[in-house]
Amino acid sequence: MSHTGRCACGAVTLEIAGEPVATRQCWCRQCQRLAAGGPTHNAIFKGDDVTVSGTLASSDWRSASGNTLTFSFCPSCGTQVYGQSSARMHLKTVRFGVLDEPHGLRPDMVIWTDDAPNWAQIDPALEQWPRQPPAPPPPPAA
């Protein structure tokens, strides 16, 4: 299966071959800032599977895990498109909101739960990590 996506203004589009290696809801403080106080919802894809058309802007910040995170977004409308960690540059963490519906994805894990506000509603059925989880497994060799 594949996925497509676009920013709010349509200037940036995505073509994604294949399925994510993981899906996550993230409550770290950086994600809460990006998501207006809530968590981000993300699908982690092999970087080579994600093709972006259009111009992206980016911003780097040091995360609580110590890695540098690069956030790529549409410079026209500000839509977050994907993030990359310096620890896993072979992966792109695509925001659910940029994916075209129906994508059928949902988080399989909740991360940085220690940073979630006390009013957060966290699904108890999902795997939970108080801080940074282990990296998704590497893709199988071709």
Side-chain angles (χ1 to χ4, degrees):
M1 185 173 189
S2 62
H3 298 277
T4 58
R6 68 196 74 258
C7 66
C9 72
V12 175
T13 60
L14 296 166
E15 295 281 336
I16 304 170
E19 290 299 302
V21 297
T23 55
R24 295 178 174 169
Q25 180 183 76
C26 182
W27 280 98
C28 77
R29 287 298 300 147
Q30 285 102 339
C31 282
Q32 288 180 56
R33 285 183 183 97
L34 292 173
T40 59
H41 296 89
N42 309 292
I44 303 170
F45 293 94
K46 294 184 285 185
D48 291 344
D49 287 350
V50 180
T51 302
V52 177
S53 298
T55 302
L56 290 173
S58 65
S59 179
D60 295 335
W61 14 355
R62 177 81 57 193
S63 71
S65 67
N67 298 318
T68 298
L69 299 180
T70 301
F71 294 96
S72 295
F73 57 93
C74 174
S76 296
C77 66
T79 300
Q80 285 284 314
V81 178
Y82 67 85
Q84 282 186 287
S85 169
S86 59
R88 295 178 276 286
M89 291 301 290
H90 64 288
L91 300 173
K92 288 186 177 169
T93 301
V94 177
R95 309 298 181 207
F96 279 12
V98 79
L99 296 172
D100 293 330
E101 288 287 348
H103 55 71
L105 301 175
R106 57 171 283 136
D108 56 20
M109 175 186 300
V110 183
I111 64 174
W112 288 93
T113 57
D114 279 358
D115 286 356
N118 63 2
W119 50 261
Q121 299 292 309
I122 297 174
D123 185 343
L126 296 178
E127 181 179 354
Q128 296 181 30
W129 289 86
R131 311 235 9 112
Q132 183 71 23

